[in-house]
Amino acid sequence: MAESDDTSAWVAVVTGASRGAGKGIAVALGQVGATVYVTGRSQQAADSPYGGTIAETADLITRAGGTGIPVVVDHADDAATAELFARVAHDHGRLDILVNNAAKVPPVLPGGFWERPLEAADLIAVGLRSHYVASYHAAPLLIANGRGLLVNTGHYGAVSYHHGPAYGAQKAGADKMAADMAKELRPHNVAAVSIWMGGLDTERARAHLASVRPEARPSTRRESPEFTGRVIAALYGVPDLMTYSGRTLIGAEIGAKLGVTDIDGAAPVSLRSTLGGPPEPHASLR
């Protein structure tokens, strides 16, 4: 599909969409009429202390105007990921958008990395390696479409300290992975980017803030999880999509450029001045 103006014809996959950022992104894509496959492990609300299931997300997508399709996938299982994309290939034979968001985020604990459970490194398996595996299976479908967008969800922690070495490595790795994939996908008119999100108003964040003394809670406004989905939809709709390929983008900045606002009409603020910005891609990546 060479044209992108018929959003109701878009086919997307959003990984890790039971709750949080993935859920918001998936629902926002549903709001423009897309068919969205949502993956995750949660089938019952009790599966996570933060609630949420892939079926609930799929229902919200459908109620928003799209078509939500829940698929149980443990992204630590390569075979399950392959089956997901085999299903998309069977159903549609192509793919417009892949959003790599699934990540096994460990609890934030005090102490040095050597003092915390070694399971913290699981974020590199489900959150970096799993992005690669999903992209590996999605790439032929994006290429078959004639136009596509691959997105890794990112954060300022790629260049500033946030939650420790495993988190930083995952975020920095996801940025570089998108840049290198963009280099190889460019001849096929498929773009790859990483999009940094700010502090999000998610179920996990609300639970954390509820545990903090009122006077110690930050007063800064948080982005809705849907905002990044709105940015992705707007980005895929621009004629010059390939000019963004290979770049790490700050969601608030690209949102402002494309005229995207949050669900309350506000414009999220870039944190570049306090948390840093993405490095410029090397000439070899062009």
Side-chain angles (χ1 to χ4, degrees), residues 24 27-28 31 201 206 221-228 230 260-268:
V27 171
Q31 289 170 346
D201 181 25
R206 289 177 207 144
R221 179 191 174 280
R222 303 184 76 84
E223 294 177 12
S224 78
E226 290 86 354
F227 174 71
T228 303
R230 290 183 168 200
V260 178
T261 57
D262 211 335
I263 56 175
D264 60 357

Side-chain angles (χ1 to χ4, degrees), residues 16-234:
S18 300
R19 64 193 68 82
K23 176 182 177 180
I25 290 167
V27 171
L29 292 174
Q31 289 170 346
V32 298
T35 294
V36 188
Y37 290 76
V38 295
T39 76
R41 295 181 298 166
S42 296
Q43 300 181 69
Q44 306 293 330
D47 290 344
S48 167
Y50 307 109
T53 70
I54 53 172
E56 289 173 1
T57 299
D59 181 60
L60 288 172
I61 292 166
T62 301
R63 284 196 275 158
T67 302
I69 302 175
V71 185
V72 178
V73 178
D74 179 350
H75 283 278
D77 182 346
D78 292 353
T81 302
E83 289 174 7
L84 162 70
F85 289 98
R87 177 174 175 181
V88 176
H90 176 271
D91 293 348
H92 303 280
R94 62 179 186 82
L95 181 66
D96 288 274
I97 300 170
L98 168 65
V99 181
N100 284 317
N101 177 72
K104 188 174 181 180
V105 181
V108 179
L109 299 173
F113 70 88
W114 61 96
E115 299 172 295
R116 303 172 199 154
L118 189 57
E119 285 73 21
D122 288 350
L123 178 58
I124 298 172
V126 180
L128 187 56
R129 186 181 187 281
S130 62
H131 287 8
Y132 187 97
V133 175
S135 301
Y136 174 89
H137 291 290
L141 295 171
L142 293 164
I143 292 168
N145 194 45
R147 186 179 195 272
L149 174 61
L150 185 158
V151 178
N152 289 342
T153 57
H155 186 265
Y156 300 85
V159 296
S160 58
Y161 183 82
H162 197 79
H163 295 336
Y167 186 91
Q170 189 269 326
K171 293 305 179 187
D175 291 353
K176 184 57 165 60
M177 183 183 293
D180 285 355
M181 287 180 174
K183 170 81 171 180
E184 298 181 7
L185 288 168
R186 188 174 297 278
H188 304 284
N189 199 36
V190 174
V193 300
S194 187
I195 297 179
W196 287 3
M197 302 177 288
L200 298 181
D201 181 25
T202 63
E203 301 89 345
R204 183 188 293 265
R206 289 177 207 144
H208 170 69
L209 290 173
S211 70
V212 176
R213 299 189 316 275
E215 64 273 17
R217 293 173 190 166
S219 58
T220 53
R221 179 191 174 280
R222 303 184 76 84
E223 294 177 12
S224 78
E226 290 86 354
F227 174 71
T228 303
R230 290 183 168 200
V231 169
I232 292 169

